[in-house]
Amino acid sequence: MAPHARVGVAQVRLSSPMSNSQPFDTDELRSSFLDFFVARDHRLVSSSSLVPEHPAAPLFTNAGMVQFLPVFFGEEPPASPRATSSQKCLRVRGKHDDIEIVGRSSSHLTFFEMLGNFSFGDYFKAEAIQYAWEFLTGTLGLDGERLWATVHTSDDEAAGFWQELVGLPGERIQRMGEDNFWEMGATGPCGPSSEIFYDKGPEHGEGGGPAAGGEERYVEIWNLVFMQNNRLENGGLAELPKRNIDTGAGLERILPIVQGKASVFDTDVLRRLIGSAEELAGCVYGRAEEDDVSLRIVADHARAV
Ligand code: GLY
């Protein structure tokens, strides 16, 4: 595909009505994501093991890109220039460790499924941005006016695409430093990224966008990584053989939005686990905050195990 081409049907405009009451459950959301990218020539790839094999990989699979390490490093050719997957991930230690915040946040989990679309030297920033926008506002029907994007401080190109190709107003495109430079671990593939946030509304915190903080109000739902670098042991950055796309969208984080819920723990799978924990512990969810934190931790950890 030519660089900077417009993709798909949609220049979906921001005036689209909010319609986040669609009856997506976990399975439907996963299928709709994978179907969207298969229809755009991505090869459907199964989730790989939580325990990766590549010597450069972290202890546990922490992102959808881990199974593609040999491709990013140029050790193997890709089976197809584009891929999509729903990857089981575990973040309990290392660079991406959320375990301490689980239960006290409405969006963090140790185990989760990461929805991803990947380009191995094929399309790049423009198409990745447009695909994400089309899926969120077109397929899922999210209100574009609630979406914000962040880009790396140096990335005028990505900021330009958000404005020119998608029509996102400049005031909802914010720039950040290391938060917009995604790295698999202390070493390995990395690159500048553009994150997409959903604004849950003023009842969930102060305004000002994701750069102003407020993780409970502005939920990061998708990270588009422009995977072009390799972090070396000496801390330096090398170029990968190709410019790739690695995206990670949180299945469990998008689910409450399409179900009109405030927390990942209010959605189908996790709420059922909280119900089991309530029965076993003999307490009722929603009565006392410290009990609720414990029930949420039990639900998350039980699912992870
Ligand atoms: N690899 C993209 C992410 O985990 O956010």
Side-chain angles (χ1 to χ4, degrees):
M1 181 173 290
H4 309 182
R6 285 174 190 272
V7 296
V9 290
Q11 250 237 286
V12 185
R13 281 287 156 192
L14 296 179
S15 54
S16 60
M18 185 177 176
S19 57
N20 60 3
S21 56
Q22 297 181 39
F24 282 98
D25 66 15
T26 304
D27 291 338
E28 289 163 341
L29 178 57
R30 184 191 303 107
S31 309
S32 69
F33 182 94
L34 298 173
D35 290 349
F36 178 92
F37 283 102
V38 167
R40 287 155 186 78
D41 299 326
H42 291 64
R43 192 169 76 95
L44 180 60
V45 176
S46 300
S47 177
S48 61
S49 169
L50 279 179
V51 182
E53 287 174 13
H54 196 280
L59 180 61
F60 296 117
T61 296
N62 63 0
M65 50 72 67
V66 171
Q67 69 167 305
F68 302 113
L69 278 171
V71 176
F72 288 130
F73 284 134
E75 297 161 356
E76 289 177 11
S80 154
R82 301 170 175 208
T84 186
S85 68
S86 182
Q87 174 66 50
K88 298 180 183 76
C89 296
L90 192 63
R91 290 189 174 181
V92 289
R93 58 164 294 164
K95 191 166 181 65
H96 303 283
D97 172 2
D98 295 328
I99 196 164
E100 295 303 333
I101 196 174
V102 167
R104 299 190 182 278
S105 133
S106 65
S107 60
H108 290 88
L109 298 168
T110 57
F111 171 84
F112 59 94
E113 284 185 58
M114 183 175 282
L115 302 167
N117 56 291
F118 304 90
S119 154
F120 309 113
D122 191 48
Y123 63 85
F124 202 46
K125 294 181 189 180
E127 295 83 354
I129 286 170
Q130 289 176 98
Y131 283 146
W133 187 261
E134 187 187 347
F135 179 73
L136 292 173
T137 59
T139 305
L140 298 187
L142 297 191
D143 179 3
E145 293 186 15
R146 286 183 176 247
L147 297 177
W148 292 64
T150 60
V151 299
H152 190 258
T153 40
S154 65
D155 200 347
D156 295 337
E157 192 181 35
F161 290 148
W162 277 114
Q163 272 192 285
E164 291 152 23
L165 299 180
V166 160
L168 197 64
E171 61 271 19
R172 291 216 310 281
I173 305 167
Q174 297 185 318
R175 291 176 185 250
M176 297 210 257
E178 64 178 34
D179 282 344
N180 277 116
F181 194 88
W182 193 85
E183 312 202 28
M184 177 187 72
T187 59
C190 54
S193 72
S194 180
E195 295 182 317
I196 304 170
F197 291 79
Y198 183 80
D199 179 2
K200 286 161 68 181
E203 62 277 27
H204 296 279
E206 292 294 311
E215 265 191 299
E216 283 301 318
R217 171 161 177 176
Y218 298 99
V219 186
E220 184 211 328
I221 54 173
W222 202 339
N223 190 14
L224 316 179
V225 184
F226 312 129
M227 190 69 94
Q228 57 195 40
N229 299 112
N230 182 19
R231 178 73 69 190
L232 305 172
E233 299 253 346
N234 66 10
L237 276 183
E239 299 277 315
L240 289 173
K242 290 183 175 165
R243 295 193 314 172
N244 310 284
I245 289 294
D246 152 37
T247 84
L251 175 71
E252 292 85 349
R253 286 190 182 184
I254 296 176
L255 198 61
I257 296 169
V258 296
Q259 291 186 350
K261 306 268 171 57
S263 165
V264 294
F265 292 98
D266 296 332
T267 58
D268 47 303
V269 172
L270 284 153
R271 189 63 188 82
R272 279 200 294 275
L273 287 166
I274 287 178
S276 299
E278 284 176 289
E279 279 175 33
L280 291 169
C283 61
V284 178
Y285 189 58
R287 296 234 174 114
E289 178 58 14
E290 276 312 300
D291 285 351
D292 290 354
V293 169
S294 301
L295 290 167
R296 289 192 286 261
I297 291 172
V298 171
D300 168 79
H301 289 13
R303 184 165 181 247
V305 168

